[in-house]
Amino acid sequence: MAPLDPVPSIVSEGACRMTIAETPAQERRPPDGAATVRLERCVAHTLRVIAAARTEREAAPVKAARRQLAEIYGVTRLSRRLERGRHPA
């Protein structure tokens, strides 16, 4: 998956990629025709990726590993807090 752009952009005709700030106001219009289809496919693909990530996150081995790491993190935080309580600043 490609990294997210920090600046929103649109793809104008051809291979030229311009940011919204660089695009003239008359070119900022709702997509139509083929552009709409590409946008819908992109959104559908993104939703499939999100659904797959959520499913993977809930898988038993991943869920167990996340639970174990959370327990370790909690124990570490507790021991640090107790350590600070023994040695007042």
Side-chain angles (χ1 to χ4, degrees):
M1 183 182 332
L4 297 175
D5 288 335
V7 177
S9 62
I10 62 170
V11 177
S12 59
E13 295 176 40
C16 179
R17 183 178 173 134
M18 302 172 69
T19 63
I20 290 176
E22 298 167 343
T23 306
Q26 67 270 19
E27 290 185 19
R28 290 187 223 152
R29 61 183 180 272
D32 56 340
T36 301
V37 172
R38 283 193 306 271
L39 178 61
E40 288 172 353
R41 286 182 183 159
C42 181
V43 169
H45 174 72
T46 302
L47 292 174
R48 283 192 302 272
V49 169
I50 291 170
R54 293 180 83 181
T55 301
E56 181 180 329
R57 188 175 189 176
E58 293 301 317
V62 175
K63 196 168 190 170
R66 288 171 50 84
R67 192 176 312 118
Q68 183 180 9
L69 287 173
E71 289 172 9
I72 292 168
Y73 178 71
V75 169
T76 303
R77 286 187 63 195
L78 178 61
S79 66
R80 286 181 184 163
R81 189 172 4 158
L82 292 174
E83 187 67 28
R84 275 181 273 169
R86 284 187 225 144
H87 302 294

